[in-house]
Amino acid sequence: MEWVVVGGCCITFMAAMLNVVFLIHLGASVSHLTGDLSRFSNDLLEGGWEAEPLRYLLAALVGFIIGSTISGYFIHHPRLDLERPYGRSIILIGCLIVGCYWMLEVGTAWSVFLASLACGYQNALASRFHGMVLRTTHITGLLTDLGIHIGMKLKGHTIDGWKIYLPGLLVASFFMGSLLGAWEYRQLGTDLILYLGIAYIVGGVGWTVLKRWKMTR
């Protein structure tokens, strides 16, 4: 249970940092698309839409779907399982983030695509944990689960404590990641994306080494 909490909070925290950098720098979200799609729909009706936001939205939509598809292909099953190659997956996400950093100089839409692909891959890594749907790139589903379980608890139903504190911790991690990401962006600019990619790679290597060490004991 502990590794689920720590690992989930860490990647949620970093995904929030990545997303807030793109929101500030380009005005485009890469970790969740509900707001961007709603905003574009309104702009479309008002006749005020522009080509660049549309490119970002399409790049993010396609990237997120492809990332989720790749995750489904390699991980095979949405249930958390230590035997699955999560370390290599986190390394891949880090490489994609480093790639999107370099693509900022070439084409911003391509950078959005790679960042969303990384987030889509991450979000699909482990969708279920003991029946609970986990999300590590946005908080809508987490808030829903948190509210449902609190309501059931108030009603008198028996609810395991972790079903309340796990989504609560993930929501808090996303908030703190967004807060720190906005602050760090003011200090580092888009270089923060590169540092996030490196952090993912280091974390993925560390997890792989730790997993192999535990298997040999």
Side-chain angles (χ1 to χ4, degrees):
M1 182 65 181
E2 291 79 5
W3 71 272
V4 176
V5 175
V6 174
C9 286
C10 285
I11 61 176
T12 300
F13 182 87
M14 291 193 291
M17 292 184 73
L18 178 67
N19 186 61
V20 79
V21 171
F22 274 90
L23 278 174
I24 297 172
H25 190 67
L26 298 176
S29 174
V30 295
S31 71
H32 58 284
L33 305 170
T34 308
D36 285 11
L37 190 58
S38 297
R39 182 172 57 193
F40 173 73
S41 300
N42 180 64
D43 291 344
L44 186 63
L45 286 176
E46 293 183 350
W49 64 278
E50 300 176 1
E52 192 170 68
L54 176 59
R55 285 200 300 271
Y56 294 158
L57 177 61
L58 291 176
L61 283 169
V62 174
F64 204 92
I65 292 171
I66 292 177
S68 301
T69 302
I70 295 173
S71 185
Y73 181 84
F74 285 108
I75 302 300
H76 308 304
H77 197 283
R79 183 176 56 83
L80 277 167
D81 188 344
L82 282 171
E83 297 303 316
R84 303 190 190 283
Y86 293 125
R88 282 173 287 174
S89 294
I90 296 299
I91 293 171
L92 174 60
I93 292 170
C95 291
L96 289 170
I97 293 173
V98 171
C100 83
Y101 169 76
W102 294 115
M103 287 303 295
L104 274 174
E105 301 297 326
V106 180
T108 50
W110 282 107
S111 182
V112 170
F113 169 79
L114 287 177
S116 290
L117 194 153
C119 287
Y121 190 99
Q122 174 178 312
N123 202 50
L125 276 180
S127 297
R128 293 189 179 276
F129 178 68
H130 291 291
M132 178 181 289
V133 179
L134 298 180
R135 294 289 179 261
T136 60
T137 65
H138 56 275
I139 66 171
T140 307
L142 295 171
L143 289 172
T144 301
D145 286 338
L146 181 61
I148 288 173
H149 292 129
I150 290 175
M152 293 175 67
K153 186 76 172 180
L154 293 174
K155 184 69 173 178
H157 293 281
T158 301
I159 302 294
D160 293 333
W162 67 266
K163 291 187 176 182
I164 294 177
Y165 77 73
L166 178 55
L169 286 173
L170 292 175
V171 170
S173 297
F174 194 92
F175 171 73
M176 294 303 297
S178 299
L179 191 64
L180 183 61
W183 185 82
E184 289 286 358
Y185 176 79
R186 287 159 175 79
Q187 316 302 315
L188 302 172
T190 55
D191 286 348
L192 178 57
I193 298 174
L194 176 61
Y195 298 142
L196 283 171
I198 293 172
Y200 268 94
I201 293 171
V202 171
V205 171
W207 172 254
T208 301
V209 171
L210 179 62
K211 176 183 173 181
R212 293 188 181 279
W213 177 74
K214 285 186 175 182
M215 290 174 64
T216 57
R217 292 185 63 185

